[in-house]
Amino acid sequence: MTISRRHLIRAAGTAVLIRGTAAAGEKSLEIAGREVEVQLVPVSECTFRLSVLPIVDGKPAVVPSDGSLIERSWRAPVGDRILKLGAARVRVLPDRLTFVVETSSGDLVQRLRIDGENGAVYFSTGSSPLLGLGEGGAQFDRRGSTDRMRSGQGGYQLRTHGGRVPIPWLIGTSGWAMFFHQPFGTFDFTGPESSFHPASPDTALPLDIFVVVSRDPRTILSEYAGLTGHPELAPLWSFGYQQSHRTLSSREEILEEARTFREKKLPCDTMIYLGTGFCPSGWNTNNGEFQFNQNVFPDPKAIFDQLHGEHFKVVLHVVIKAPSMHGTVRDACDPNEAVEEQPSCYWAQHRDIFSLGVDGWWPDEGDPLNIASRLVRNRMYWEGPRLDRPNERPFALHRNGYAGMQRYASFLWSGDVYSTWETLRTHVPVAINTGLTGIPYWGTDIGGFVPTAEFTAELYVRWFQFGAFCPLFRSHGRNWKLRLPWGWNTGDSGIPEINKYNGAALPDPSELHNARVEPICRKYLELRYRMLPYLYSAAREATISGLPVMRALWLHYPDDPAAVARGDEYLWGRDILVAPVTERGAASRKIYLPRGVWYDFWSNEKQDGGRELSRVVDLETMPLYVRAGAILPLGPVKQYTSEPVNQPLSLSIYPGADGSFLLYEDDGSSFNYRKGDWMGIEMNWSDRQRRLRLGLAKGSRMLSPSRREFAVKVGDATKSVVFDGHSQEVRF
């Protein structure tokens, strides 16, 4: 619809207003048949907000809150036809409802156009990968796909791609990103011009989009965290290995599994128990109920105390049937409303069990919940536990969420995927896109949830290796005995659970006597625990910067097209490149190393980057490469994350470039770090001078013990260093 006269209006608090005149014989500005006002507001030096608001009672409507944005308002000085944003600008073409985003030198970054008939938004697809959009969906580069953004396990190819957590945060790796805050709809990336279509003309308004303009990937993710919130820091134990159980036969079996981990010296922190209903015999009487199954948990507190005595945490599975949720745990409980729809009422059902010593929760299901309800549920499992344990960081593993769930330290897993090689292969880019959407704590059912004819010891081992380099390191699935590190050498796959799923099958009996699996699982369990100082530091960095733990190569190599387009490998923190083996019977793995010098973690062989190479692999090897300049802290092997071990921390320095690292430590469980009760040791390596400098980070203090011993390694040389909080240096 062509409006004869549209003009810009200067107004305090808004940079640009676009309105149509309503003179005699003329129509006001309308979109999808409704009179509107278009606002363009700067949010920061590189982000602006584009809002199309329907006029209600003579005033522009307020954009409703779905809980995804941080509560804040954006105000700006009086604007003009050109909105300036640091090194970028936005030119407004009001007659065509078009917004041209350019650099200060005039190079086109993005061009957005709003269709007056239906409120659809058109924008340039570009020639670079499009990333983000939450968990699941077509992978890796979103170009060429159409996405209805359907949430839940019925959203998109569950078998291979997992459950869908659609988040309309789209990253153009050429230097822009957009968050479609309102409304929800469908994306079409199949042409040179992409589009976003509201679900219907009735839901097209208000339209609310945040556009980020930056060539720096870290800035783009920082801006997103500024809009939807930074992640909260999860407890240290949640980064240890988590063993999930299904059908339980007895109280003795529960305790025997825990004892076996300790007797075999296989590191593990968490025992997770499924609810009855999803299996014949779980922790409770039935799904959604909060009474213990007396056949296996006749004395739950005594069992929990014994597990705690063996240094295990206990996590219980819960489901929800309510169609919606609203409010917080601190609201009054209304007896006239459904219990599950009110966090204050629903959390009260958890509290008696929680008081027995439960350490965390596994909130399953919830696919029908709308966006606001999903976030209410995420928030409930963050705020509810703190009513009784105010200084203890909660843990919850969710299947559903949305933008902003990171504010509640929500873990996310990919749902009921199938045990196939294609699933494992697909989950590498799924992990990357999930991380780029602000969700740092992610993982999958190691081995796949539904066993198939492809479920072999080899597939389990490869999946276990990948899981060791996911923030959530958890093994779970049907025929759960095969999810135990020693489960492939007992001849027993557990109670058969292949009903209700097409294509499900039991493993060939010949696979159940494989003595190679347990030693390989041990190797990666021990490596995970040795890398906890590095991983926990990366998790803390996520809370400050918004950068995920599992990182697309684009984040640190945006000027390398081959690295940007690579979705089958990722960076673990800043310095370690992980290349999971996802092909059956693989004898080698093709790997792309970005520019610079890299070191093979296993052999220490030096490789020049900026090229693809083929790395020979055997079953126990998943390729890992460390960037030159990296300072990699490795702790001693532990059986659980809080185990006291009187051995020095190893600092392995990989020469060839300057580097730095902030080693972060706190008590691992409380919120005392918010009060300054944390330790940060800043480490800086000068490659030319062959010198390592150590210093205490500003705002931190030395934690007990007040003197820390490090074994600093550069190549074959090792020097012992004792750090007491005073700056010092080590030369090689």
Side-chain angles (χ1 to χ4, degrees):
M1 180 176 185
T2 302
I3 306 300
S4 58
R5 284 189 285 175
R6 293 176 184 168
H7 57 276
L8 306 177
I9 301 174
R10 299 186 179 195
T14 302
V16 177
L17 289 178
I18 307 176
R19 285 181 180 157
T21 58
E26 296 180 353
K27 293 184 178 180
S28 59
L29 175 60
E30 293 185 358
I31 291 180
R34 300 177 67 183
E35 183 182 359
V36 298
E37 175 178 284
V38 181
Q39 297 182 359
L40 200 64
V41 180
V43 173
S44 70
E45 285 291 297
C46 53
T47 300
F48 67 91
R49 184 181 197 178
L50 171 60
S51 302
V52 180
L53 308 176
I55 303 300
V56 180
D57 297 329
K59 297 180 181 180
V62 176
V63 178
S65 172
D66 58 13
S68 60
L69 294 179
I70 295 175
E71 293 296 330
R72 54 185 289 195
S73 59
W74 293 274
R75 297 190 177 276
V78 175
D80 205 338
R81 184 180 292 268
I82 296 179
L83 177 65
K84 295 182 180 178
L85 294 170
R89 65 191 182 196
V90 186
R91 286 194 298 113
V92 182
L93 308 177
D95 287 343
R96 286 172 278 174
L97 276 180
T98 298
F99 307 87
V100 181
V101 186
E102 303 170 327
T103 65
S104 55
S105 59
D107 295 330
L108 180 66
V109 176
Q110 186 52 267
R111 181 185 183 96
L112 292 90
R113 174 175 58 87
I114 302 174
D115 189 306
E117 291 290 337
N118 55 26
V121 181
Y122 294 84
F123 54 94
S124 303
T125 301
S127 57
S128 299
L130 300 180
L131 306 178
L133 288 190
E135 178 192 63
Q139 299 292 327
F140 160 66
D141 181 357
R142 305 292 189 173
R143 288 180 302 168
S145 69
T146 299
D147 196 329
R148 296 174 58 191
M149 302 294 281
R150 292 179 58 186
S151 181
Q153 297 215 135
Y156 181 89
Q157 298 183 22
L158 173 63
R159 290 177 178 233
T160 51
H161 291 64
R164 185 80 170 96
V165 178
I167 298 176
W169 164 246
L170 179 67
I171 297 173
T173 54
S174 59
W176 57 269
M178 290 189 285
F179 179 53
F180 286 74
H181 175 229
Q182 293 283 350
F184 213 64
T186 295
F187 286 95
D188 185 344
F189 307 113
T190 57
E193 187 177 44
S194 293
S195 58
F196 168 81
H197 298 267
S200 71
D202 293 337
T203 61
L205 298 174
L207 176 66
D208 196 34
I209 308 172
F210 292 85
V211 183
V212 183
V213 185
S214 177
R215 293 286 300 177
D216 182 4
R218 289 166 293 187
T219 296
I220 288 178
L221 290 200
S222 177
E223 290 293 299
Y224 180 71
L227 294 173
T228 64
H230 286 76
E232 282 283 359
L233 188 59
L236 177 61
W237 63 263
S238 64
F239 298 107
Y241 177 64
Q242 302 187 22
Q243 181 63 60
S244 185
H245 304 73
R246 285 183 58 84
T247 296
L248 305 169
S249 63
S250 65
R251 178 187 193 276
E252 291 69 30
E253 180 187 56
I254 292 171
L255 297 175
E256 178 63 25
E257 297 296 347
R259 281 194 296 269
T260 302
F261 271 97
R262 296 297 180 240
E263 290 170 358
K264 287 178 170 287
K265 293 191 179 301
L266 292 165
C268 181
D269 264 82
T270 307
M271 294 292 177
I272 306 177
Y273 299 104
L274 187 70
T276 303
F278 281 165
C279 66
S281 176
W283 75 267
N284 58 2
T285 51
N286 204 355
N287 270 333
E289 298 179 356
F290 291 88
Q291 293 81 38
F292 282 94
N293 176 1
Q294 293 298 304
N295 294 325
V296 292
F297 279 96
D299 51 349
K301 188 177 188 308
I303 294 176
F304 294 165
D305 287 346
Q306 187 164 339
L307 290 172
H308 289 154
E310 294 288 337
H311 305 285
F312 290 102
K313 302 296 184 182
V314 178
V315 172
L316 299 183
H317 171 269
V318 285
V319 299
I320 187 171
K321 303 297 184 181
S324 65
M325 293 188 74
H326 60 88
T328 73
V329 295
R330 298 186 182 278
D331 296 335
C333 184
D334 187 343
N336 297 316
E337 292 191 49
V339 169
E340 286 189 338
E341 295 187 10
Q342 304 174 77
S344 55
C345 307
Y346 188 39
W347 178 252
Q349 295 187 336
H350 294 65
R351 293 180 78 172
D352 286 346
I353 289 178
F354 190 54
S355 68
L356 299 178
V358 173
D359 300 286
W361 303 91
W362 174 15
D364 199 355
E365 294 202 329
D367 289 0
L369 295 174
N370 61 24
I371 289 171
S373 297
R374 283 177 242 154
L375 290 174
V376 167
R377 192 185 189 207
N378 291 154
R379 181 178 180 179
M380 184 190 77
Y381 283 101
W382 175 249
E383 295 182 346
R386 294 165 64 189
L387 294 177
D388 299 306
R389 305 176 196 170
N391 199 30
E392 182 178 300
R393 287 177 240 166
F395 169 79
L397 171 58
H398 292 268
R399 196 174 87 184
N400 282 286
Y402 193 67
M405 65 185 293
Q406 69 273 10
R407 301 198 300 268
Y408 313 119
S410 298
F411 278 71
L412 179 68
W413 100 99
S414 64
D416 298 349
V417 298
Y418 275 54
S419 302
T420 69
W421 288 96
E422 183 184 357
T423 304
L424 175 58
R425 192 159 44 248
T426 302
H427 269 56
V428 178
V430 167
I432 295 170
N433 274 323
T434 303
L436 289 173
T437 318
I439 303 169
Y441 309 139
W442 179 90
T444 181
D445 291 345
I446 291 177
F449 177 72
V450 180
T452 74
E454 294 184 37
F455 192 33
T456 61
E458 180 192 5
L459 177 59
Y460 183 76
V461 163
R462 292 305 190 191
W463 213 312
F464 198 91
Q465 293 166 347
F466 171 56
F469 285 85
C470 295
L472 174 68
F473 186 18
R474 164 183 172 268
S475 191
H476 173 71
R478 291 183 167 228
N479 293 89
W480 75 268
K481 300 262 182 178
L482 295 179
R483 317 307 168 132
L484 296 165
W486 61 87
W488 288 87
N489 195 30
T490 66
D492 178 16
S493 66
I495 295 176
E497 297 179 299
I498 58 173
N499 60 319
K500 298 181 181 179
Y501 287 90
N502 293 329
L506 293 175
D508 189 286
S510 64
E511 287 287 327
L512 304 181
H513 298 280
N514 192 321
R516 300 182 63 191
V517 176
E518 184 178 337
I520 297 175
C521 288
R522 180 190 306 279
K523 175 178 179 177
Y524 283 87
L525 284 167
E526 292 181 349
L527 178 60
R528 169 69 167 228
Y529 279 73
R530 291 202 66 201
M531 282 194 174
L532 278 172
Y534 177 85
L535 171 57
Y536 196 55
S537 298
R540 187 263 184 180
E541 184 184 3
T543 69
I544 303 299
S545 67
L547 292 175
V549 177
M550 302 176 79
R551 302 181 184 180
L553 271 59
W554 163 74
L555 277 170
H556 295 290
Y557 302 95
D559 297 326
D560 184 341
V564 172
R566 203 79 186 208
D568 64 345
E569 58 190 52
Y570 56 92
L571 296 170
W572 182 243
R574 173 65 183 93
D575 297 321
I576 301 175
L577 186 146
V578 181
V581 178
T582 60
E583 300 293 335
R584 182 188 349 227
S588 64
R589 168 64 152 92
K590 289 185 177 179
I591 299 163
Y592 181 79
L593 296 178
R595 65 177 180 275
V597 175
W598 295 82
Y599 292 84
D600 188 308
F601 175 80
W602 304 110
S603 69
N604 211 38
E605 182 182 359
K606 186 176 176 181
Q607 299 282 356
D608 291 326
R611 65 190 180 96
E612 185 177 78
L613 56 85
S614 181
R615 209 283 191 190
V616 173
V617 296
D618 53 21
L619 183 59
E620 72 174 61
T621 303
M622 179 177 71
L624 303 171
Y625 286 84
V626 187
R627 180 181 64 92
I631 304 169
L632 180 60
L634 294 173
V637 174
K638 293 184 175 185
Q639 295 307 303
Y640 50 93
T641 54
S642 61
E643 182 181 18
V645 180
N646 188 24
Q647 294 181 30
L649 195 71
S650 171
L651 297 180
S652 296
I653 298 175
Y654 292 81
D658 293 344
S660 62
F661 186 78
L662 176 65
L663 178 65
Y664 176 82
E665 185 179 322
D666 58 27
D667 62 20
S669 60
S670 78
F671 291 96
N672 292 344
Y673 67 91
R674 294 178 174 177
K675 305 173 184 178
D677 196 11
W678 62 280
M679 183 179 71
I681 302 178
E682 293 180 334
M683 305 176 179
N684 291 280
W685 168 253
S686 171
D687 199 60
R688 183 176 62 84
Q689 298 178 339
R690 306 277 289 180
R691 180 193 65 205
L692 175 68
R693 283 183 172 169
L694 303 176
L696 195 62
K698 183 179 179 180
S700 74
R701 67 178 186 84
M702 290 297 294
L703 299 180
S704 180
S706 58
R707 292 164 58 87
R708 299 300 176 97
E709 184 178 351
F710 296 107
V712 184
K713 300 179 180 180
V714 182
D716 295 329
T718 301
K719 291 190 176 183
S720 181
V721 178
V722 177
F723 180 73
D724 61 3
H726 295 89
S727 298
Q728 60 179 283
E729 62 180 44
V730 186
R731 291 184 178 271
F732 286 84

